[in-house]
Amino acid sequence: MEGHKEPLRVRVEGSHTNCSLSEMDDFHLTRALEKPRQLKIERKRSLDERSMSELSNGYVRQDSFLDMAHSPGSRSILDTPLSVRNSFEPHPIIAEAWEALRRSMVFFRGQPVGTIAAYDHASEEVLNYDQVFVRDFVPSALAFLMNGEPDIVKNFLLKTLQLQGWEKRVDRFKLGEGVMPASFKVLHDPVRKTDTIVADFGESAIGRVAPVDSGFWWIILLRAYTKSTGDLTLSESPECQKGMRLILSLCLSEGFDTFPTLLCADGCSMVDRRMGVYGYPIEIQALFFMSLRCALSMLKPDEEGREFIERIVKRLHALSFHMRNYFWLDFQQLNDIYRYKTEEYSHTAVNKFNVMPDSIPEWVFDFMPLRGGYFVGNVSPARMDFRWFSLGNCVSILSSLATPDQSMAIMDLLEHRWEELVGEMPLKICYPCIEGHEWRIVTGCDPKNTRWSYHNGGSWPVLLWTLTAACIKTGRPQIARRAIDLIESRIHRDCWPEYYDGKQGRYVGKQARKYQTWSIAGYLVAKMMLEDPSHIGMISLEDKQMKPVIKRSASWTC
Ligand code: GLC
């Protein structure tokens, strides 16, 4: 495999600063990813599809949209069609949301370095919600970038990079050099007038699990910053190049793996408690894929970087094949699994992981629409977790881990199963919940994760931004609009809770923090992206080999 041929550079064209990052994003992948398996997804040519050409003219020009989305500095109001501009009156809660977001800012020696997880004064139990979580800061960072305030993002990236350099231990065991913190906290000493930082790499976290997602989010955010500002000096700095390589060393190392997916412990990402997400959870695989692609666009092909570039290209090739084939579930695939033979030996096996058809849960037969599909929660030997996880599926769309057909199918499923997956408050973290005996076994009787609560089928407003981004990418902004309307109808009255409970997501979560920062930032990011879809270039990656098919959905006219 070949490495980079040319170093990253800034090219100035007219009034736009075009960073070559956008070209590099797709350069390798075109060769790296093999032709996607053509999925047979029946889609009737509906009125909605026919009017796609109108959509292309009125909303986003299909050819130019993605290029536009990739160019930093191109989000001029002139690029936003009138129809869109006119339809978005500023909602009265936007100002309130910005105020709350700014209130959550954390300063280190006078410089903003992040936002705390929740600014909930009413809550007696602070726990670690007064810390800056890496994953929680992502929507805050995107909001600041979209608002033309990149400094806090740069400071955050540099501060967490410093923390990565710390020696990390749990008891007597030393963690890998590349591990990024789950969270950090700034301690102000008013007497000595000094600021110090404490960080948590999993050694304080409930369950003592290192956050696998932090490093991935860090790389994704570094690219978002670079894309949005056109400033290549940060990502090209020796410190950032090293930081990326250290993260990649953790997940590209060779070992006993027989699959290209990343093996990890329960609770190592957004779902940071025991919830049966150990093994090869979709969220981690999608973030892994996305960060590999982001790193590929930023790594310099120098002596140290070249080897990583080669390893990334190979891994992407294998990972996309594995995910698109073995994690994908639609009506046809479900029927095939239902009819699987077991105990097949040798490479001719169809049922490669020896999944027992009897282990397919009842609910999935009714849940699966004729049109639509999704990446299941987990695939490992004799174990398929059929649960739907929102974040993993949305990130799969954004990173182009999902083929265009798969992306459309995921959106179709969301529409078909709106009641179940969105309900009254976007968006279910996973579906369905687990209860009874299964809950006891899988969660270890976790009282916070009771059925339809928190990580166990709870509804998380933060997920609105990932849904909105996926909607824009697939050309279905109307779905996002619908979800935003739901949020706007009550979230400010409920004081921006962390999560909602219940089958429909109707109740403010049992132990939900109020003024949860990522609920606030997620809303702002969703609004800004809908207003100006070119923002999506910061967090979306195209695969030019797979021509994006932007189609209208059946619900377009809703
Ligand atoms: C909860 C969430 C986790 C989040 C943290 C801070 O632990 O599960 O994803 O990062 O709160 O908001």
Side-chain angles (χ1 to χ4, degrees):
M1 289 286 172
E2 285 176 287
H4 277 284
K5 286 262 167 53
E6 283 179 21
L8 299 175
R9 64 195 186 280
V10 177
R11 195 176 63 214
V12 180
E13 275 182 1
S15 57
H16 290 301
T17 307
N18 267 337
C19 104
S20 58
L21 191 64
S22 53
E23 298 152 30
M24 301 308 286
D25 277 346
D26 304 301
F27 176 65
H28 290 287
L29 213 77
T30 323
R31 287 178 294 160
L33 300 183
E34 62 182 29
K35 227 177 151 47
R37 190 169 62 116
Q38 277 304 312
L39 292 152
K40 286 189 214 88
I41 298 171
E42 276 219 29
R43 193 170 292 127
K44 66 176 167 23
R45 191 176 143 75
S46 64
L47 173 71
D48 305 296
E49 278 182 26
R50 263 178 278 136
S51 43
M52 185 57 215
S53 53
E54 296 144 37
L55 165 73
S56 320
N57 295 332
Y59 182 60
V60 272
R61 283 160 296 143
Q62 210 170 326
D63 50 351
S64 62
F65 163 61
L66 295 163
D67 296 336
M68 169 179 86
H70 277 274
S71 308
S74 68
R75 55 185 171 83
S76 112
I77 191 76
L78 292 174
D79 290 332
T80 311
L82 261 179
S83 54
V84 175
R85 268 186 279 154
N86 291 346
S87 59
F88 290 95
E89 286 300 319
H91 195 278
I93 67 172
I94 291 181
E96 181 193 314
W98 271 111
E99 217 173 282
L101 181 60
R102 295 199 190 286
R103 214 169 31 230
S104 73
M105 281 163 78
V106 170
F107 293 81
F108 180 76
R109 300 187 185 150
Q111 300 290 322
V113 288
T115 49
I116 54 167
Y119 196 83
D120 186 359
H121 280 323
S123 171
E124 293 152 21
E125 229 189 0
V126 177
L127 290 175
N128 50 0
Y129 283 87
D130 59 350
Q131 305 209 2
V132 180
F133 278 74
V134 171
R135 73 176 71 87
D136 292 43
F137 182 65
V138 173
S140 297
L142 295 175
F144 288 121
L145 288 175
M146 288 173 191
N147 204 41
E149 301 175 64
D151 288 353
I152 184 171
V153 182
K154 184 176 181 176
N155 295 339
F156 168 87
L157 287 165
L158 288 170
K159 186 45 72 197
T160 41
L161 193 59
Q162 264 180 17
L163 298 177
Q164 184 196 39
W166 286 10
E167 195 191 87
K168 301 158 278 245
R169 279 179 185 280
V170 175
D171 297 332
R172 296 178 190 180
F173 189 67
K174 195 164 157 253
L175 274 70
E177 228 186 313
V179 177
M180 279 280 180
S183 61
F184 66 87
K185 184 176 179 169
V186 178
L187 303 170
H188 302 286
D189 184 333
V191 182
R192 289 205 202 125
K193 294 206 167 38
T194 54
D195 286 350
T196 43
I197 286 202
V198 286
D200 175 22
F201 297 87
E203 76 275 30
S204 310
I206 298 168
R208 301 288 183 268
V209 183
V212 176
D213 64 340
S214 283
F216 296 154
W217 281 122
W218 188 88
I219 292 176
I220 292 165
L221 197 53
L222 180 63
R223 176 184 170 275
Y225 169 87
T226 311
K227 251 334 198 191
S228 146
T229 59
D231 166 20
L232 293 178
T233 56
L234 185 66
S235 66
E236 288 194 340
S237 67
E239 296 78 21
C240 283
Q241 291 284 315
K242 184 178 175 203
M244 274 191 275
R245 288 197 305 268
L246 285 174
I247 295 168
L248 295 167
S249 307
L250 294 172
C251 42
L252 291 176
S253 60
E254 289 174 359
F256 290 101
D257 301 310
T258 43
F259 314 132
T261 34
L262 195 67
L263 181 66
C264 49
D266 221 335
C268 68
S269 61
M270 178 183 181
V271 178
D272 56 2
R273 300 163 80 91
R274 191 175 147 190
M275 264 300 296
V277 286
Y278 61 91
Y280 305 91
I282 178 65
E283 178 180 335
I284 288 295
Q285 312 313 321
L287 288 172
F288 180 32
F289 182 86
M290 184 150 185
S291 59
L292 286 182
R293 290 201 59 192
C294 290
L296 192 60
S297 71
M298 294 185 290
L299 277 174
K300 285 179 166 181
D302 53 21
E303 216 177 298
E304 288 156 305
R306 201 168 295 127
E307 186 207 327
F308 282 93
I309 291 169
E310 282 169 15
R311 280 156 78 184
I312 290 176
V313 171
K314 285 183 189 152
R315 191 63 170 256
L316 282 171
H317 185 68
L319 185 58
S320 55
F321 176 85
H322 185 96
M323 297 299 296
R324 290 169 186 171
N325 286 291
Y326 306 131
F327 273 64
W328 185 252
L329 192 74
D330 55 16
F331 184 79
Q332 185 59 51
Q333 181 70 7
L334 179 59
N335 210 153
D336 290 349
I337 299 172
Y338 175 66
R339 290 165 52 81
Y340 265 170
K341 290 191 190 67
T342 57
E343 320 298 332
E344 291 174 294
Y345 184 73
S346 102
H347 59 273
T348 53
V350 179
N351 181 4
K352 294 200 172 64
F353 304 98
N354 202 29
V355 175
M356 311 294 165
D358 271 358
S359 71
I360 306 174
E362 273 302 309
W363 64 265
V364 80
F365 292 108
D366 299 330
F367 178 74
M368 184 59 77
L370 283 175
R371 219 174 81 166
Y374 64 105
F375 289 108
V376 295
N378 219 311
V379 177
S380 58
R383 175 172 173 247
M384 258 182 113
D385 180 347
F386 288 88
R387 278 178 295 174
W388 150 273
F389 286 86
S390 296
L391 186 54
N393 275 280
C394 288
V395 173
S396 299
I397 293 176
L398 294 178
S399 62
S400 293
L401 170 60
T403 65
D405 277 348
Q406 288 175 333
S407 296
M408 299 313 275
I410 293 170
M411 299 313 289
D412 286 343
L413 180 92
L414 264 159
E415 282 190 327
H416 271 94
R417 293 286 167 234
W418 186 263
E419 284 301 302
E420 290 88 342
L421 304 179
V422 182
E424 293 185 23
M425 182 51 71
L427 185 66
K428 280 266 179 340
I429 193 166
C430 64
Y431 179 88
C433 71
I434 44 183
E435 46 193 325
H437 180 64
E438 196 185 5
W439 166 79
R440 274 192 289 279
I441 302 295
V442 173
T443 73
C445 301
D446 187 344
K448 203 165 172 181
N449 275 334
T450 49
R451 62 185 196 146
W452 304 118
S453 181
Y454 201 46
H455 299 143
N456 187 8
S459 300
W460 290 65
V462 60
L463 296 171
L464 180 70
W465 82 261
T466 55
L467 172 71
T468 304
C471 289
I472 293 174
K473 184 163 179 183
T474 50
R476 297 178 174 193
Q478 209 60 25
I479 300 181
R481 180 76 258 168
R482 219 173 137 192
I484 290 176
D485 284 347
L486 286 171
I487 290 237
E488 282 176 340
S489 68
R490 60 177 291 198
I491 196 164
H492 58 298
R493 273 190 283 117
D494 295 336
C495 305
W496 307 91
E498 180 186 15
Y499 64 96
Y500 286 78
D501 283 356
K503 217 169 181 171
Q504 298 292 314
R506 187 178 292 169
Y507 299 93
V508 173
K510 208 179 352 173
Q511 292 186 45
R513 293 289 174 286
K514 301 283 181 73
Y515 296 102
Q516 181 80 17
T517 305
W518 68 0
S519 300
I520 297 162
Y523 164 72
L524 287 172
V525 171
K527 287 293 274 192
M528 283 189 281
M529 281 191 301
L530 259 196
E531 258 181 64
D532 182 350
S534 71
H535 283 311
I536 199 192
M538 279 187 227
I539 36 90
S540 169
L541 294 153
E542 288 309 319
D543 182 357
K544 284 193 179 143
Q545 195 189 32
M546 304 171 197
K547 276 225 161 308
V549 206
I550 300 179
K551 288 179 182 164
R552 267 191 180 182
S553 62
S555 70
W556 185 267
T557 49
C558 275

